[in-house]
Amino acid sequence: MQGGPGCSVGYLIRLPRSFHLTQDTVKIVGSSNFPVKVYVMLHQKSPHVLCVTPRLRNSEMIDPSFQWHGPRGKIISENSTAQVTSTGSLIFQNFEEGMSGVYTCFLEYKPTVEEIVKNLQLKYVIYAYREPHYYYQFTARYHAAPCNSIYNISFEKKLLQILSKLVLDLSCEVSLLKSECHRVKMQRAGLQNELFFTFSVSSLDTEKGPKPCTDHSCESSKRLSKAKNLIERFFNQQIEVLGRRAEPLPEIYYIEGTLQMVWINRCFPGYGMNTLKHPKCPECCVICSPGSYNPRDGTHCLQCNSSLAFGAKACV
């Protein structure tokens, strides 16, 4: 794939965690016109980054020699983290965020035995990326005891315990983000006390959960989806139970129809999403480039002219 000087090409390697790259799985070629962007998931094996253009890949080269230089200087074939094959391909076995940067391959070759040696420089910008840290944020309202009542506090703790236990086996956790009590003037009625709960449901690393597992069902998005369904069912069941009660309503109860949910994406510090800069990896949390940083769990890298490294978490 080639284009003019203003073009940019990106390659995203997004594979299931149980899938391992083989020697011939993915191969990326360069361009003599512009740096090629390559995205490699953190702590994973990279594709083969070839030291050829599309045209040269399908051509014969006499006595080719390849030399790779990265952010830390010349890359030798015996390097334990980055390897250069006999045909000039660059491969990373376990890509770390500190390996992100500009990589240049210097290629020397003869098109034919009779012709003089030709030289070519191919540049790649290789970025570490991570899956977003996403979670569900829920809000719900309860009819409450008077706002200064200790019963509201004990109910809040009990509700959090129930929700946490509900999703525990899915290696998910519930965190209370906000709890407020307000007096609400009802339509054509008097005042009543209400509890406003905001809580999040996020997935833990499966190896940290109570039931470590590695199969396809343990993917974060699948576990979160199951947790969401369990929580929605829990609130629906409260409505059903209240509807079957013959006696008066309890002092604290869920207000039907107030459960709301939003899906929220967050990147880890030092990473961000940018569909304009990384159109080939729009939903990835890509390591922040020099000149930007992300100090917290926002979704974007912020501008910082004094930031000179990839993955900056502060602007100093």
Side-chain angles (χ1 to χ4, degrees):
M1 184 183 298
Q2 284 200 297
C7 299
S8 68
V9 175
Y11 295 88
L12 164 64
I13 308 305
R14 182 192 292 277
L15 298 165
R17 292 179 182 177
S18 58
F19 184 88
H20 297 287
L21 286 166
T22 63
Q23 287 295 98
D24 298 314
T25 304
V26 183
K27 295 184 178 180
I28 296 170
V29 295
S31 169
S32 56
N33 299 320
F34 50 84
V36 170
K37 295 178 180 179
V38 183
Y39 303 93
V40 185
M41 183 178 277
L42 195 65
H43 304 311
Q44 300 296 314
K45 184 178 179 180
S46 76
H48 288 213
V49 183
L50 308 186
C51 188
V52 289
T53 61
R55 184 183 62 81
L56 286 176
R57 189 181 185 190
N58 298 314
S59 303
E60 190 175 73
M61 293 188 292
I62 306 298
D63 296 329
S65 69
F66 313 91
Q67 190 175 108
W68 281 93
H69 285 257
R72 299 174 185 173
K74 184 179 177 181
I75 300 172
I76 56 175
S77 58
E78 293 80 16
N79 193 317
S80 60
T81 55
Q83 298 173 347
V84 179
T85 68
S86 59
T87 54
S89 297
L90 177 65
I91 312 165
F92 296 93
Q93 296 299 329
N94 179 21
F95 199 77
E96 303 286 347
E97 65 178 46
M99 298 176 184
S100 299
V102 177
Y103 289 79
T104 305
C105 182
F106 298 89
L107 168 64
E108 287 188 357
Y109 70 99
K110 289 183 177 181
T112 63
V113 174
E114 293 80 16
E115 293 185 60
I116 61 172
V117 172
K118 291 195 172 185
N119 296 281
L120 186 64
Q121 285 187 34
L122 300 176
K123 286 187 181 293
Y124 299 83
V125 187
I126 304 182
Y127 298 91
Y129 82 93
R130 304 175 72 165
E131 293 285 2
H133 170 65
Y134 34 70
Y135 61 90
Y136 286 108
Q137 182 172 297
F138 290 86
T139 56
R141 291 162 64 174
Y142 277 77
H143 186 281
C147 284
N148 57 356
S149 171
I150 193 171
Y151 294 114
N152 292 335
I153 298 172
S154 60
F155 175 79
E156 172 190 306
K157 291 179 180 177
K158 185 66 176 176
L159 178 63
L160 203 59
Q161 288 173 357
I162 293 171
L163 293 173
S164 296
K165 189 175 181 180
L166 205 60
V167 301
L168 186 64
D169 286 347
L170 293 170
S171 293
C172 292
E173 66 175 354
V174 174
S175 302
L176 183 65
L177 302 178
K178 187 166 62 174
S179 174
E180 297 177 344
C181 183
H182 296 280
R183 298 185 73 199
V184 180
K185 170 67 172 67
M186 306 306 294
Q187 293 179 356
R188 300 181 182 182
L191 291 167
Q192 73 176 30
N193 302 302
E194 291 188 12
L195 287 170
F196 291 70
F197 288 114
T198 303
F199 60 92
S200 65
V201 181
S202 56
S203 62
L204 299 165
D205 291 338
T206 48
E207 62 268 18
K208 295 179 182 176
K211 295 183 178 180
C213 64
T214 54
D215 63 33
H216 193 58
S217 66
C218 291
E219 285 183 14
S220 179
S221 59
K222 285 185 167 56
R223 291 184 287 114
L224 267 180
S225 180
K226 290 178 182 178
K228 174 185 76 77
N229 293 337
L230 287 174
I231 287 172
E232 289 177 332
R233 188 187 308 164
F234 167 75
F235 281 94
N236 287 331
Q237 286 172 344
Q238 290 183 69
I239 299 167
E240 294 170 8
V241 170
L242 288 173
R244 292 196 297 264
R245 283 176 67 100
E247 62 268 24
L249 291 172
E251 189 171 31
I252 303 177
Y253 61 86
Y254 168 64
I255 300 173
E256 184 177 356
T258 62
L259 182 70
Q260 296 185 0
M261 178 208 69
V262 291
W263 169 270
I264 296 178
N265 276 334
R266 288 289 180 266
C267 291
F268 292 89
Y271 291 77
M273 296 181 183
N274 189 327
T275 55
L276 294 177
K277 184 178 177 67
H278 305 296
K280 296 290 183 179
C281 204
E283 297 178 3
C284 308
C285 289
V286 181
I287 194 165
C288 294
S289 300
S292 65
Y293 77 113
N294 184 4
R296 291 179 293 277
D297 60 349
T299 53
H300 302 291
C301 297
L302 309 174
Q303 185 173 342
C304 176
N305 294 333
S306 60
S307 170
L308 303 177
F310 281 85
K313 301 173 180 66
C315 184
V316 293

